[in-house]
Structure formats: C-alpha cells, structure tokens
Amino acid sequence: MTTTLRGGSQTAEYIQRQLADQRRFLHESAALGIEQVLRDELADTWEECSQPDWDGYNALPVTTGSLTNAGRLLLSLPLGTKLPSIGAIPSGHISLEWHHSRRRTLTVTVDEDGDLRYAALLGPGRVCGTEPFFDETPQIILDLIARVYQC
Amino acid sequence: MSGEGFKIDLSESFEHLPNAPIVEAVIHWRARAERKLEPAALLDQLKAKLPDYPHSQRQQEFGVATQISAEGESVRQHHAWHGYRFESADKLQIAQYTRNGFVFSRLKPYQDWEKFQAEAQRLWCVYRELAEPSEIQRLGVRFINLIPVKPREVASLLTLPPRSPQIMKLPISAFLHQTKFNIPDHPYELNVVQTIQPPAPPERDSTGLILDLDVGTTRPIAFDEIENRLLQMQSIKNKAFFSLLKKPALKRFRS
C-alpha cells in the first residue's frame, strides 16, 4: 500500500520509506500494533466479500481501492488504539466498527476515493458525517473512538 | 511542551548560503478536488496549460490484495489513477497534480524563495481552476537538506545529534529521529526528520546526513491567506535550519 508522496526527489522517497518502515515495525507489536488486524480480519473480509452477491442479496464486491484505503486508515491510527471489527457493506466498501454497547458504537466506511463516512451512536446522541482521508486519521474520528468507550 | 521564547519575526533576516545543501524544496497544497477529474481530459488540459513542463507521467496508486480460492492463493494487483506528474525541460521542477491537491518541487540547485514560491503559486492557480477545491485543508513548506558526512562527524554538525549511552559508548551506525513541534499561538506545526542514508553508489565513503524540515498549517485556510502563510512558514523553516545545525556545518555552505 502506498501513500501520497510529498516531494519528487529520491531523498524524499527515502525519508518516506524509512518512516513507514519504522512505523510498520511498531505495528507488528502484539500490544500496540494493527498488523494482526490487517493480516487476519481485513484479509478475511476481502476473502469473503470480494465476489459479487457475497451476502446473497446482490451486494457489490468489495473494491481493491476501499481495501487499500482501509489498510491505510488502520495504519494511520495511533499505536495502541482500540482495535475495530472489520466488515463490509453491500455497496462494496470496507467498514470499521468500534462497538462498546448497543448505544455506544461507531462505524466508519472507507470508499475507493478516500472518503470516510462515519456514523456514531453515543447514548442519546447521533453523530454522522464525511471526512476526506489524507493518510492521517481525522481528529473527529479519533474523538469519536474515544467517546464510544467513555462511560 | 513550552514554546516560550519563540516568535515568528518576519523582519529577521537569515544569512544567504551560496552552497546550501537543499536537495528539494516543496510547497504542498492539500486541497481535495471538488470537480470530478477525468484522467484523459485533465491530462489534455494540463498539457495545454503547462507548455514549459513537457514531461508528463501518470501517477498510480498501487495496492495488492490476496484472494484465496479453492485452487489456491492468487494475488491481484490494483492500480488506480491518482494524478499526473509534470517535469520542466531540465527536470529540476516537478508539479504533481492529484485528486487530493497539488505539490510543487524544486530540485537542486535551489535558486531563491521568490522564484520558487512564485512558480509554485502560478502552478497552483492551474490546479485551483481545474479542480475547484473550496478550501485548503493543509498548506506546507518543506525543505530537504542532504549533507555529505563521515558517520563520526554527525555529532559535530547537529545541535540535537543521536547519542550513544554514556556507559556503553557504542558507535552509531544508523539513526532516524523525528520530532513534531507545535508553534505556539499560530496554526502551524514543524516536523523535523534527521537521519542518515548509506553512501549512494558510486559513492562509497560519504554518508548523507538528511535534515528534513516540514512546516504545515494545522487548520484549513482560505485562498487569500496563502501569501502570508507561506512567508511565515518560510521564516519558521529558516529559523529551524539555523537552529538545528552547528556553526561548523554552516561554514561548509558558505563557499
């Protein structure tokens, strides 16, 4: 998976690779990292949902663009973030769910254009919206994850 | 973390270094296109507007997905159009037009800030016209410096060098140090990366000390703020450069 390169020189590319390698190394930590989710849950979702009609109700296949962006989003989460459950929705997009209880839950769907659509139930309140994803988790998503588990 | 003592001072002047170690200067507008960009049409439009950037290249995003079927594992590669990269005839100026914004780079030899930012802004206007973003989510100024050094020299050149534990006194063979600083009372952050890269063939002895200074806005900005924001970020970048290098390092760049 790649990220947008902010620069055009070989040196810029070298820096980006070094930083990504370091981060990836930390993500391999069982305590802090997201590697296991990428390897297991995201891969399982892809395996189960990459064919048309994977739900028996004419669901669209999960797109590789959504899969790639979901992987990037997971890797951009701060180390140690509570891990989400991974799934897919019938429009062919990967969904990440942080679930604490019936009324404290957050779902983020990731499309191939890099738009994040989020919907949260927080007790009596509902929050939803769309944020562009530029390889950094939007602050509102981080705030909502924290609020899901804040009770 | 305290930022007491630092103020952005646009009247402060910085020494001109004729041999500055800048290998790339970048201005980056993160501003998502709000007009649907159709790759072929966009390429035609950009070619028409950028006759002085004759080299164009399609940029792809690359991903790999693994499919496990009854017949065994198969790997699917996915390439999606991401944007276009245009290079000037001498290949020293690069303009990257993507769905998420515009990046302008000047490779070495870097000339001066006025020429650099004027060209960046000229090319940004092309992006703005074609992509119609409604705001700039992040504006960034990045300068990447590459200084040839012997590994043992690193500590004498950086004000914040990597150190071996006092008791062990082990030689350092590699390091990667990233620090993000907030700029108090201003919507900026400064990202500093210090690292070394091994000798680039055919070079065998000289390691490259990289000092990467990236100043960016921390909140969306309006189009009419660009000029002032760029000036302030340039000043922060200059201050950081002269603060992070010791005098013996600066001396190398005077002639």
Side-chain angles (χ1 to χ4, degrees):
Chain A
M1 292 172 198
T2 59
T3 55
T4 307
L5 191 61
R6 268 194 279 150
S9 64
Q10 287 183 340
T11 311
E13 201 179 321
Y14 176 80
I15 296 165
Q16 176 142 330
R17 214 171 43 238
Q18 290 292 304
L19 292 170
D21 286 352
Q22 285 295 322
R23 196 162 172 77
R24 193 76 195 222
F25 183 62
L26 288 169
H27 270 301
E28 286 170 11
S29 146
L32 299 172
I34 210 96
E35 189 71 26
Q36 189 195 331
V37 176
L38 287 175
R39 205 177 45 233
D40 299 340
E41 281 205 56
L42 194 57
D44 284 350
T45 303
W46 170 252
E47 190 191 334
E48 288 162 14
C49 308
S50 59
Q51 299 299 324
D53 195 28
W54 50 264
D55 65 349
Y57 295 95
N58 297 319
L60 296 173
V62 167
T63 63
T64 46
S66 172
L67 178 81
T68 303
N69 286 332
R72 283 179 175 178
L73 176 62
L74 287 165
L75 285 168
S76 77
L77 291 168
L79 290 163
T81 299
K82 190 101 174 162
L83 299 180
S85 306
I86 312 288
I89 57 173
S91 58
H93 299 136
I94 295 283
S95 67
L96 315 181
E97 187 186 36
W98 285 267
H99 181 83
H100 181 61
S101 65
R102 203 170 56 84
R103 296 294 303 182
R104 295 203 89 80
T105 185
L106 165 68
T107 303
V108 178
T109 61
V110 188
D111 72 16
E112 49 281 342
D113 290 330
D115 282 329
L116 307 178
R117 290 187 177 77
Y118 59 88
L121 284 175
L122 300 162
R126 286 175 59 126
V127 183
C128 57
T130 304
E131 282 285 320
F133 175 57
F134 299 107
D135 293 317
E136 289 166 15
T137 312
Q139 189 58 45
I140 190 162
I141 304 280
L142 295 175
D143 291 343
L144 288 171
I145 296 170
R147 287 176 66 191
V148 164
Y149 297 100
Q150 200 178 57
C151 67
Chain B
M1 282 177 272
S2 167
E4 270 179 45
F6 177 73
K7 294 271 181 292
I8 298 175
D9 178 6
L10 294 182
S11 66
E12 182 176 3
S13 61
F14 296 92
E15 180 186 356
H16 173 70
L17 299 169
N19 238 337
I22 300 162
V23 289
E24 183 175 3
V26 182
I27 298 181
H28 175 212
W29 281 262
R30 182 188 285 171
R32 174 155 296 181
E34 288 174 39
R35 179 195 274 186
K36 180 107 180 126
L37 298 179
E38 203 281 304
L42 179 66
L43 181 61
D44 289 343
Q45 289 168 317
L46 287 170
K47 279 184 171 173
K49 287 177 183 295
L50 305 172
D52 40 353
Y53 286 73
H55 309 288
S56 63
Q57 193 184 345
R58 185 184 167 101
Q59 289 187 312
Q60 307 269 31
E61 276 185 316
F62 174 70
V64 178
T66 307
Q67 179 92 39
I68 301 166
S69 63
E71 293 77 41
E73 191 176 274
S74 71
V75 174
R76 249 203 297 183
Q77 292 184 347
H78 137 77
H79 298 268
W81 175 77
H82 177 63
Y84 290 106
R85 172 185 166 121
F86 280 77
E87 291 180 355
S88 56
D90 60 8
K91 301 201 168 188
L92 295 180
Q93 305 200 138
I94 302 164
Q96 296 180 68
Y97 290 89
T98 74
R99 289 180 307 180
N100 287 337
F102 170 66
V103 184
F104 176 69
S105 299
R106 166 73 203 191
L107 306 185
K108 71 173 181 183
Y110 173 75
Q111 295 161 303
D112 60 58
W113 171 257
E114 282 67 32
K115 279 187 194 147
F116 168 60
Q117 66 88 25
E119 181 65 352
Q121 293 217 53
R122 180 180 78 88
L123 298 172
W124 151 252
C125 289
V126 172
Y127 179 80
R128 194 178 157 189
E129 183 193 330
L130 299 178
E132 297 180 1
S134 59
E135 65 175 14
I136 300 161
Q137 278 90 26
R138 181 186 187 274
L139 178 63
V141 170
R142 180 182 186 193
F143 276 64
I144 305 173
N145 301 279
L146 179 64
I147 307 164
V149 293
K150 303 275 183 247
R152 64 175 184 282
E153 290 178 314
V154 169
S156 65
L157 301 178
L158 293 174
T159 54
L160 297 173
R163 291 189 196 286
S164 175
Q166 195 62 41
I167 298 170
M168 297 176 80
K169 292 197 173 96
L170 298 173
I172 294 169
S173 63
F175 73 98
L176 173 67
H177 187 176
Q178 181 184 24
T179 315
K180 261 190 188 177
F181 300 93
N182 294 320
I183 309 296
D185 306 323
H186 293 278
Y188 302 121
E189 63 183 9
L190 164 66
N191 184 40
V192 178
V193 174
Q194 297 181 151
T195 187
I196 47 177
Q197 71 168 6
E203 186 60 61
R204 306 185 89 171
D205 301 324
S206 190
T207 299
L209 170 62
I210 293 170
L211 176 62
D212 178 11
L213 305 170
D214 183 13
V215 188
T217 56
T218 54
R219 63 158 177 78
I221 65 164
F223 299 126
D224 59 6
E225 291 179 70
I226 292 174
E227 200 93 23
N228 188 42
R229 296 287 172 211
L230 286 177
L231 276 176
Q232 292 189 332
M233 289 193 284
Q234 185 220 10
S235 173
I236 295 167
K237 181 274 296 177
N238 282 339
K239 190 81 180 173
F241 178 84
F242 283 95
S243 305
L244 289 162
L245 290 173
K246 288 182 179 172
K247 282 180 184 164
L250 297 173
K251 201 175 157 189
R252 297 175 174 212
F253 316 133
R254 290 200 173 104
S255 58

